[in-house]
């Protein structure tokens, strides 16, 4: 589990580095009406991590022991297949500050790590819950999934930054 924890920490650092240097206004601005703002992407990542953490806790308490084959979760980063976020992890339309969202992300990560630290790897391997694309996934696969999911959204954020840059170049503003 040490490798998985290092992985999700590294991806989170990359995520925060990607948005560093932008103002709250820039991060909340939508470059297209049908796309999330960068801040909404960050809020979504917080909601996903909290949802997964709460579900892991619930399954550890009440879930049945099952045998689950590993899933190819590394394909999560492939953005050629659009996946609609369930409503319970849809981001807010409210204006958010980066400082506030960083705090939320820190709290969701702390909650996840507490669950991992209090649970044996065996328990994480023998229980699971379904993913909308991959089907039934063991709890231990949900942890690196968070990292792959964030990597997927880092690519989305980079696309939004590039799109905004193109819009500014086309309009002649800096």
């Amino acid at each position: 589990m040490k490798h998985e924890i290092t992985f999700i920490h590294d991806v989170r650092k990359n995520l925060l580095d990607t948005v560093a240097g932008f103002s709250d206004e820039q991060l909340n601005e939508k470059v297209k009406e049908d796309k999330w703002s960068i801040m909404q992407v960050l809020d979504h990542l917080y909601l996903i991590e909290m949802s997964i953490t709460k579900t892991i806790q619930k399954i550890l308490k009440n879930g049945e022991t099952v045998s689950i084959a590993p899933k190819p979760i590394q394909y999560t980063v492939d953005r050629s297949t659009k996946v609609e976020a369930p409503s319970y992890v849809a981001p807010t339309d409210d204006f958010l500050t980066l400082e506030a969202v960083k705090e939320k992300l820190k709290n969701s990560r702390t909650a996840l790590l507490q669950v991992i630290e209090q649970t044996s790897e065996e328990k994480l391997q023998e229980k699971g819950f379904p993913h909308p694309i991959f089907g039934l996934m063991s709890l231990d696969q949900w942890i690196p999934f968070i990292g792959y999911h964030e990597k997927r959204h880092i690519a989305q954020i980079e696309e939004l930054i590039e799109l905004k840059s193109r819009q500014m170049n086309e309009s002649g503003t800096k």
Side-chain angles (χ1 to χ4, degrees):
M1 192 52 57
K2 200 173 208 173
H3 172 72
E4 290 83 354
I5 292 171
T6 299
F7 172 66
I8 63 173
H9 281 315
D10 290 348
V11 173
R12 177 63 57 85
K13 181 183 179 327
N14 186 4
L15 172 70
L16 295 176
D17 288 348
T18 302
V19 299
F22 291 96
S23 70
D24 291 336
E25 289 73 20
Q26 290 169 315
L27 294 172
N28 278 279
E29 182 182 357
K30 284 187 171 189
V31 293
K32 285 182 101 176
E33 198 49 48
D34 64 338
K35 295 194 180 295
W36 286 347
S37 69
I38 293 171
M39 197 65 81
Q40 286 179 303
V41 173
L42 296 175
D43 188 44
H44 166 71
L45 294 175
Y46 157 74
L47 293 168
I48 282 283
E49 189 167 51
M50 283 307 298
S51 175
I52 290 171
T53 300
K54 288 176 182 175
T55 304
I56 288 173
Q57 289 172 314
K58 182 176 136 195
I59 297 298
L60 285 168
K61 264 188 195 164
N62 306 317
E64 295 180 22
T65 299
V66 290
S67 178
I68 305 168
K71 302 302 187 288
I73 60 172
Q74 67 276 9
Y75 291 120
T76 302
V77 298
D78 177 6
R79 295 191 64 241
S80 64
T81 303
K82 179 135 173 66
V83 180
E84 201 65 39
S87 60
Y88 60 91
V89 291
T92 182
D93 286 324
D94 295 344
F95 184 92
L96 299 170
T97 66
L98 183 56
E99 185 178 323
V101 172
K102 280 182 173 180
E103 187 65 25
K104 288 167 74 172
L105 287 166
K106 181 179 143 204
N107 292 340
S108 63
R109 181 55 49 89
T110 298
L112 175 66
L113 293 174
Q114 285 175 343
V115 171
I116 294 168
E117 289 166 7
Q118 297 167 358
T119 310
S120 71
E121 283 192 48
E122 185 179 88
K123 284 272 186 233
L124 292 171
Q125 292 168 350
E126 65 187 22
K127 295 184 181 217
F129 64 96
H131 181 276
I133 305 295
F134 298 115
L136 189 62
M137 282 178 22
S138 62
L139 300 181
D140 71 323
Q141 272 211 297
W142 278 99
I143 293 151
F145 168 80
I146 290 170
Y148 287 116
H149 180 253
E150 287 189 6
K151 281 182 87 154
R152 176 185 182 93
H153 283 291
I154 289 169
Q156 178 187 14
I157 289 168
E158 289 169 342
E159 285 177 15
L160 292 170
I161 292 168
E162 177 61 32
L163 183 57
K164 181 61 180 171
S165 177
R166 277 201 310 261
Q167 287 175 348
M168 290 171 63
N169 287 339
E170 289 169 5
S171 69
T173 59
K174 296 202 177 208

